Amino acid sequence: DAGVTQSPTHLIKTRGQQVTLRCSPKSGHDTVSWYQQALGQGPQFIFQYYEEEERQRGNFPDRFSGHQFPNYSSELNVNALLLGDSALYLCASSSLPGLAPDTQYFGPGTRLTVL
Amino acid sequence: GQSLEQPSEVTAVEGAIVQINCTYQTSGFYGLSWYQQHDGGAPTFLSYNALDGLEETGRFSSFLSRSDSYGYLLLQELQMKDSASYFCAVREISRGGATNKLIFGTGTLLAVQP
């Protein structure tokens, strides 16, 4: 049973560029959430996708956008990269909200460095 | 605003018991989760409390008091491999019910010494 996978593992970009990160959820999961984790901080919620639609969004600018495909995989796109976007980007998959136990499975993350 | 407070660092020795506290202030609350994250790794789920009281899972236990907006993670029989960051996270509730949005604390770095 494959867990959550993310690609690429590491990425280096320069300011102003655009980046696309990818995530495949755990088998049986249909909800994908994206988090940004700066060094020494806890993960910050970016947004969540369910049924190919953005269902919830955190306090992130419109430069951050996403997509979910029919097979439940998801992409995170960041435009006009800033130095402050350097972080570990985590994807978490889960089933429909409300089902117990509450467990989100995180992928290994993509380490983005913006120079 | 929304905030979760945890101690930044805790040090303990192998075989000991350690408690990591978490106090929260959020606009909506459905439950409190605990995650472990080794350096450079993915956060992994440890425990979840939706109701007041103690939940026990092997060497790990978690407690919640909703009236005090407080919870803790208890780690027993500490092992070297328990050295990691530990995060409490509030599961939000919206008008539509429970959500899967997690609000994380800043994390507690646990160092287990021989």
Side-chain angles (χ1 to χ4, degrees):
Chain A
D1 179 21
V4 181
T5 59
Q6 292 186 245
S7 63
T9 55
H10 295 84
L11 204 51
I12 300 175
K13 293 286 189 178
T14 57
R15 282 180 298 174
Q17 284 190 310
Q18 178 265 343
V19 68
T20 297
L21 311 181
R22 296 175 176 82
C23 169
S24 290
K26 180 179 169 64
S27 177
H29 285 178
D30 53 16
T31 303
V32 173
S33 302
W34 286 92
Y35 291 81
Q36 179 196 65
Q37 186 176 24
L39 201 61
Q41 301 295 316
Q44 299 293 311
F45 179 81
I46 303 175
F47 43 51
Q48 182 181 90
Y49 277 83
Y50 171 65
E51 291 187 332
E52 301 180 49
E53 289 188 13
E54 183 183 295
R55 299 292 177 166
Q56 286 187 281
R57 190 177 183 93
N59 295 325
F60 280 80
D62 292 344
R63 298 186 298 110
F64 290 78
S65 64
H67 188 78
Q68 186 179 35
F69 299 94
N71 66 352
Y72 309 122
S73 67
S74 176
E75 287 182 349
L76 164 66
N77 301 292
V78 187
N79 295 322
L81 284 167
L82 304 174
L83 295 179
D85 295 331
S86 294
L88 180 68
Y89 287 85
L90 295 163
C91 168
S93 77
S94 57
S95 298
L96 279 174
L99 297 179
D102 174 60
T103 303
Q104 293 206 43
Y105 291 84
F106 283 82
T110 294
R111 174 71 63 184
L112 173 65
T113 302
V114 182
L115 302 175
Chain B
Q2 301 181 75
S3 67
L4 286 86
E5 298 291 330
Q6 302 178 234
S8 57
E9 295 184 22
V10 173
T11 302
V13 297
E14 271 188 300
I17 299 172
V18 71
Q19 178 174 314
I20 299 174
N21 299 320
C22 172
T23 57
Y24 58 88
Q25 183 177 357
T26 58
S27 56
F29 178 87
Y30 192 79
L32 188 70
S33 300
W34 288 91
Y35 284 81
Q36 177 193 62
Q37 186 178 32
H38 286 97
D39 191 29
T44 56
F45 173 80
L46 291 177
S47 190
Y48 174 68
N49 295 74
L51 302 175
D52 290 354
L54 192 68
E55 291 285 337
E56 297 181 79
T57 309
R59 294 188 297 115
F60 297 159
S61 302
S62 59
F63 172 83
L64 175 66
S65 169
R66 288 177 298 174
S67 61
D68 296 322
S69 297
Y70 165 77
Y72 67 72
L73 178 70
L74 193 71
L75 297 86
Q76 303 181 71
E77 301 173 17
L78 281 174
Q79 302 174 10
M80 296 295 291
K81 67 177 182 179
D82 297 329
S83 293
S85 291
Y86 292 83
F87 295 91
C88 59
V90 164
R91 183 183 179 193
E92 275 203 334
I93 189 169
S94 69
R95 282 174 292 180
T99 75
N100 279 343
K101 176 182 176 181
L102 294 174
I103 303 168
F104 282 83
T106 51
T108 299
L109 183 61
L110 171 64
V112 180
Q113 297 178 342

